[in-house]
Amino acid sequence: MDYIQARRDFLKVATTSATASIFLPGSLGALGEVALKSEDKFIRSICEMCSSRCPMEARVINGKTVLLQGNAFVKEMGTSLCAKGVAGASQLYDPQRLVTPLIRVGKRGENKWKEASWEEALSLIAGKLSALKERYGARSVIFSAKTGEQYDLLCSFASAFGSPNIFSHWSSCPIAIESAFKQTFGEKLHRDFENATYILNFGHNLFEGLDIPLTKAMAQFSANPSKKLVVLDPRFSIIASKANEWYPIKPGSDLAFVLSLLHVWIRDGKYNKNFVEQYTIGFEKLVLSVKETTPQWQQPLTGIDAKVVERLAAEIYEASPKCIIDWGHKATTTKAEYQRTRAILMANILMGNVEKEGGIYFAKIAERVNALAKEDIVPELDNPYPRPLVNEQRIDQAGEMGALRFVSKRHGSLTAIPEAIITQTPYEIKGWFLTRHNPLMTVANPQKMKEAMEQLEFIVVNDIYLSDTAMMADVVLPEVTYLERDEGISKNAYKSPYYTMRNRIVEPLHHNKSAIEIIRNLAERMGLGSYYPWKSVPELRVYQAKGNDVLLETLLKRGAATFDVPPLLALEPTFVEHFCERYPQSRIWLDKQGTFSHLLQKLKTPSGKIEIYCEEVEKLFKGYGVPSNVDMDVKQGFPYVLTSGKSAVHTNGHTQNIPYLHMLLSTNPIWMHPSTAKVHGLKMGDTFYLENGISKEKATVFITEGIRPDTLFTYMGFGHDAPALKRTHGKGINSSKLLSLESATLCGAMITNVGVNIIKI
């Protein structure tokens, strides 16, 4: 800890300055703001208009943000930034932002408030949380946020407080994929889009669900005439428009298609036998599982001709290992999502594309490359939020027993919350602390969630806007935007590691505070300050970087720190040789083929190998130890399936009220095939009802041939019920209101495909 004090002055100057630059003594910059009245500078940081958190930079003239673009110091970015990222300034200067703490004075949800000082609001929160802990126990309070540094911070605070009930957004987004990877590889892998020659895509629409480095790689891939992209999606999405072939697969039937591919490859012996034998366990179980899943079997389930399966299987095998069967990002559409994603991972495994160029690979984090090099070639970071999770029963029993046994305690399943609160089972729940989390928009059946929230004694919401969920709070705290705050160092890794850091672009425009400031302040008020080895963001950064001034200076100036480490793929001899030339001590790891094959035999799985068959899973979920044919029904007896997805200009329920983005897309009509519209007597722009056993919601029709006749589609995140969001309040449909709180088997994922009726008004 001595180095924190020794470098505190350096970091205070460097990180509290809006310049985010280090000036030499005697330079113009060293004279300070007085000498720079006509100020024009670039500051590098991290975007947070979505969870991709792309490296970006801002041009600031006289203290005002005038331009946002990608950070070219990260080569995968260049200066590219999506519409959402560019709109960060529109959010920053939005007059509808919250600017002062609010305390409820009317009935819960009545939208009656009084303005409060930070002292009054934080004192009230600290007192109320402490009182709930005293009366009901710390576990009576739930904590939730989307993942990222704010979530790590909230986890540490919840654990210091004593509650095991922490929830991320995972169960409403990527949890099926995260679970499948954990049970198969022990960790999640990356995709080498730029070097693949063949990609089979199951609706992973990177041209709307944007992640700039991945999107650029996919754009380059799809534009290359020597490569092939095949897309299976019920809707003619933007990525489908870039494909060589598009198949409008029946919604929810991806699993059947992949099982038939596996059948063909095994039947014909066209798979990488050496890879399977050397690096996996349980292949014989897969052979038995897909014995009957023929191309003919899948045809009525998917709507795709058996001959297409046979041809695509042959093409993918011919392209292997430079092929990718893409698992996507948000795969939470049916009860079978875990098996669907596991089957896709099996397809990649049989093609032997793991740690191969143009295939899939493990992230080369600092710890991994340092261990291989047998020297510290990349600085490793300390964890600034070291508090362990509370080892007590959770309200959803995630990670403990029952249906959510294999769901991480660190993320939980959001759909379990309403029932636990309403029934007060397995124990009393009285409070909820949410930071930048809006479950009344993003979680299934918000009607039930709202009913549950009405029963709570105390709710705190920290957000930029007075959102739907904030309307239900007792105290609302106005958070700064990402352009107004400093944060710690973020770890990133592809084929080599790099770090990024959020640097403040402009001083906070109002009296708003960051989540770090809020939670650290509450910790001090509640006697929990000793759980943190730092008191401010500058100290946090020094602690994280272990006092490494060079690393911190680089991150302050560039927003990103890259290292001269050769990109590494463990089973590619050329890549390995380049690594060994740079770091000769790493030759100790070489095998006879000149590769680092040991990396694939010491995985974070029970066997240490890639687990095609998971014995632990099979014991508790019979038939789930290996990918198999399980329930794929999404209609539930209704004639149509409502699907939803991301727009290129909005992020879930977060951005619809931002002026610039609202102008680009202000509502979300329902995509409907002309034949379906004709059956129901609907014309373009007509209003109608979508109805099932959960709700009946009014919508507007958008007629297009770019969707299956039995399928409907809408962009998520609209239909806000929040009067303070004046631009978007009441516009569009909140599709979450039609979703069931039932979760996908084993992984606890929210199911976003749902059966509906169409009712003409």
Side-chain angles (χ1 to χ4, degrees):
M1 293 296 293
D2 291 342
Y3 54 73
I4 291 181
Q5 186 63 45
R7 295 172 173 82
R8 186 174 295 166
D9 291 342
F10 163 75
L11 263 296
K12 281 185 177 178
V13 171
T15 61
T16 57
S17 167
T19 63
S21 300
I22 306 300
F23 294 119
L24 295 174
S27 68
L28 178 63
L31 297 177
E33 296 293 329
V34 174
L36 297 174
K37 289 183 179 178
S38 297
E39 181 185 59
D40 187 348
K41 59 191 175 183
F42 280 88
I43 302 171
R44 283 91 193 182
S45 187
I46 309 171
C47 184
E48 199 173 3
M49 295 299 284
C50 77
S51 296
S52 297
R53 296 182 175 90
C54 295
M56 48 76 68
E57 67 178 12
R59 186 181 184 187
V60 180
I61 298 178
N62 295 332
K64 185 176 178 65
T65 302
V66 299
L67 171 70
L68 298 175
Q69 62 184 17
N71 183 355
F73 284 111
V74 178
K75 65 180 180 65
E76 292 85 2
M77 287 293 301
T79 56
S80 302
L81 206 61
C82 73
K84 291 175 288 187
V86 172
S90 182
Q91 181 186 65
L92 172 66
Y93 299 115
D94 185 0
Q96 293 185 24
R97 278 181 56 191
L98 289 169
V99 297
T100 187
L102 300 175
I103 296 176
R104 177 172 65 85
V105 294
K107 295 179 181 179
R108 190 179 298 286
E110 195 177 8
N111 199 28
K112 291 185 178 180
W113 313 91
K114 73 167 186 175
E115 294 186 356
S117 66
W118 277 100
E119 174 62 31
E120 181 182 6
L122 293 175
S123 294
L124 176 61
I125 295 169
K128 288 286 189 179
L129 291 179
S130 296
L132 291 178
K133 182 177 180 178
E134 179 68 24
R135 289 202 303 270
Y136 307 108
R139 65 185 186 178
S140 68
V141 181
I142 299 169
F143 297 83
S144 68
K146 66 176 183 178
T147 53
E149 182 170 7
Q150 289 189 352
Y151 185 66
D152 295 338
L153 171 70
L154 190 66
C155 285
S156 72
F157 179 68
S159 297
F161 179 75
S163 176
N165 293 311
I166 55 175
F167 293 83
S168 80
H169 79 292
W170 265 23
S171 59
S172 61
C173 198
I175 199 168
I177 291 168
E178 300 287 348
S179 298
F181 266 105
K182 181 175 176 58
Q183 301 300 332
T184 308
F185 290 97
E187 63 183 279
K188 193 174 179 181
L189 275 67
H190 290 298
R191 292 154 291 205
D192 188 14
F193 287 143
E194 56 267 42
N195 293 305
T197 59
Y198 199 112
I199 295 176
L200 179 62
N201 177 292
F202 291 90
H204 184 200
N205 187 8
L206 279 166
F207 297 106
E208 291 190 278
L210 294 157
D211 182 316
I212 294 301
L214 290 179
T215 300
K216 290 180 73 173
M218 179 57 73
Q220 292 167 1
F221 177 94
S222 62
N224 189 329
S226 67
K227 301 187 176 189
K228 184 164 186 177
L229 172 64
V230 177
V231 172
L232 281 68
D233 192 331
R235 177 177 73 106
F236 190 65
S237 62
I238 295 180
I239 196 165
S241 73
K242 309 296 183 185
N244 299 88
E245 298 178 25
W246 167 60
Y247 296 97
I249 190 170
K250 290 183 180 179
S253 66
D254 296 358
L255 172 60
F257 187 88
V258 183
L259 290 176
S260 68
L261 285 179
L262 297 173
H263 170 91
V264 171
W265 288 326
I266 293 173
R267 179 198 69 195
D268 298 343
K270 291 185 175 180
Y271 61 92
N272 192 317
K273 300 178 181 63
N274 291 335
F275 184 86
V276 169
E277 181 178 347
Q278 187 171 355
Y279 301 112
T280 76
I281 63 168
F283 175 68
E284 66 283 355
K285 300 283 188 180
L286 181 64
V287 173
L288 293 175
S289 181
V290 301
K291 187 176 181 180
E292 306 298 330
T293 61
T294 65
Q296 292 74 22
W297 163 82
Q298 66 81 45
Q299 185 168 310
L301 297 173
T302 66
I304 298 175
D305 192 283
K307 293 179 181 178
V308 172
V309 178
E310 296 278 4
R311 176 174 57 80
L312 295 184
E315 291 177 358
I316 294 169
Y317 176 72
E318 183 66 25
S320 66
K322 289 194 171 187
C323 62
I324 297 172
I325 299 87
D326 189 0
W327 51 83
H329 173 69
K330 184 182 182 295
T332 52
T333 57
T334 76
K335 287 182 67 175
E337 284 311 299
Y338 174 80
Q339 289 290 54
R340 169 260 187 203
T341 310
R342 281 261 293 155
I344 288 176
L345 299 187
M346 297 306 114
N348 285 284
I349 291 165
L350 292 194
M351 294 301 96
N353 67 357
V354 183
E355 285 294 317
K356 300 291 286 186
E357 189 172 29
I360 64 178
Y361 59 93
F362 292 90
K364 302 310 182 295
I365 59 175
E367 292 79 3
R368 182 166 274 147
V369 297
N370 287 346
L372 284 170
K374 297 187 73 66
E375 58 180 288
D376 294 333
I377 59 176
V378 178
E380 298 180 18
L381 304 179
D382 267 344
N383 178 12
Y385 312 112
R387 183 73 183 168
L389 299 179
V390 175
N391 189 24
E392 288 189 25
Q393 183 183 16
R394 292 174 50 95
I395 59 171
D396 59 355
Q397 298 183 327
E400 297 163 8
M401 59 186 74
L404 302 181
R405 168 64 182 82
F406 291 103
V407 174
S408 168
K409 289 184 178 183
R410 189 171 176 82
H411 298 281
S413 182
L414 291 164
T415 55
I417 291 177
E419 188 68 18
I421 294 175
I422 291 170
T423 64
Q424 295 290 282
T425 303
Y427 45 76
E428 293 175 302
I429 295 294
K430 301 297 181 181
W432 196 345
F433 190 112
L434 306 95
T435 182
R436 297 291 306 283
H437 187 214
N438 191 5
L440 292 186
M441 284 301 302
T442 59
V443 179
N445 200 337
Q447 308 92 303
K448 194 79 170 180
M449 186 72 79
K450 190 172 184 178
E451 178 187 344
M453 296 181 82
E454 288 171 346
Q455 298 186 22
L456 295 175
E457 291 187 15
F458 191 62
I459 301 172
V460 180
V461 172
N462 173 47
D463 210 334
I464 294 171
Y465 291 100
L466 192 57
S467 68
D468 311 68
T469 300
M471 288 275 294
M472 298 296 292
D474 295 275
V475 182
V476 181
L477 301 177
E479 190 183 32
V480 293
T481 69
Y482 70 96
L483 297 173
E484 302 166 284
R485 67 178 189 259
D486 290 316
E487 288 185 349
I489 305 169
S490 299
K491 297 180 180 180
N492 302 273
Y494 289 107
K495 297 170 194 170
S496 55
Y498 70 99
Y499 297 136
T500 54
M501 189 167 75
R502 176 165 288 121
N503 294 309
R504 180 181 293 170
I505 304 300
V506 296
E507 293 296 320
L509 300 185
H510 308 286
H511 298 293
N512 300 24
K513 295 183 183 294
S514 68
I516 292 177
E517 293 173 296
I518 291 168
I519 291 177
R520 192 64 181 83
N521 190 306
L522 285 173
E524 290 290 345
R525 292 171 183 267
M526 298 169 66
L528 305 175
S530 62
Y531 290 110
Y532 298 88
W534 47 270
K535 292 185 178 180
S536 64
V537 174
E539 288 188 6
L540 183 156
R541 289 171 165 180
V542 173
Y543 180 87
Q544 219 179 344
K546 302 180 182 180
N548 188 327
D549 289 352
V550 174
L551 174 62
L552 289 168
E553 182 176 344
T554 300
L555 289 166
L556 285 164
K557 293 173 68 174
R558 295 190 169 198
T562 56
F563 309 95
D564 188 21
V565 177
L568 179 62
L569 293 170
L571 297 187
E572 289 284 5
T574 301
F575 282 75
V576 172
E577 179 57 30
H578 289 164
F579 191 86
C580 291
E581 288 175 357
R582 183 74 60 84
Y583 312 110
Q585 293 185 77
S586 64
R587 293 190 181 278
I588 192 174
W589 305 112
L590 287 175
D591 58 21
K592 294 180 180 179
Q593 288 72 42
T595 64
F596 291 152
S597 60
H598 72 286
L599 283 181
L600 276 72
Q601 296 171 325
K602 295 182 179 180
L603 305 182
K604 300 173 187 176
T605 60
S607 66
K609 289 190 170 188
I610 299 169
E611 298 207 345
I612 292 175
Y613 174 73
C614 300
E615 185 175 358
E616 290 184 353
V617 169
E618 184 66 23
K619 287 178 181 178
L620 296 176
F621 293 85
K622 189 172 177 59
Y624 276 75
V626 67
S628 60
N629 175 26
V630 295
D631 183 15
M632 290 174 268
D633 175 51
V634 290
K635 285 190 174 182
Q636 300 94 32
F638 291 93
Y640 304 104
V641 179
L642 174 64
T643 64
S644 60
K646 293 185 176 183
S647 154
V649 298
H650 284 299
T651 301
N652 303 333
H654 165 56
T655 60
Q656 283 73 15
N657 200 62
I658 294 172
Y660 176 48
L661 299 179
H662 175 77
M663 177 184 68
L664 294 176
L665 184 64
S666 60
T667 190
N668 62 336
I670 302 293
W671 290 37
M672 185 183 296
H673 192 272
S675 64
T676 305
K678 184 176 180 180
V679 167
H680 293 279
L682 295 174
K683 297 180 180 179
M684 184 74 81
D686 282 355
T687 56
F688 66 101
Y689 286 108
L690 290 176
E691 180 269 341
N692 58 15
I694 299 168
S695 188
K696 182 178 180 181
E697 300 296 324
K698 184 180 288 188
T700 302
V701 66
F702 171 73
I703 300 174
T704 173
E705 293 186 357
I707 195 164
R708 290 177 55 90
D710 60 356
T711 305
L712 308 171
F713 172 84
T714 191
Y715 289 119
M716 64 178 72
F718 289 87
H720 285 266
D721 185 14
L725 304 180
K726 296 178 182 178
R727 301 181 191 93
T728 195
H729 172 62
K731 293 186 178 179
I733 180 174
N734 181 356
S735 56
S736 294
K737 290 184 176 180
L738 292 154
L739 303 181
S740 166
L741 286 168
E742 183 182 19
S743 61
T745 306
L746 190 141
C747 63
M750 185 178 84
I751 301 171
T752 58
N753 280 359
V754 63
V756 292
N757 273 319
I758 294 172
I759 301 175
K760 185 178 180 181
I761 295 177

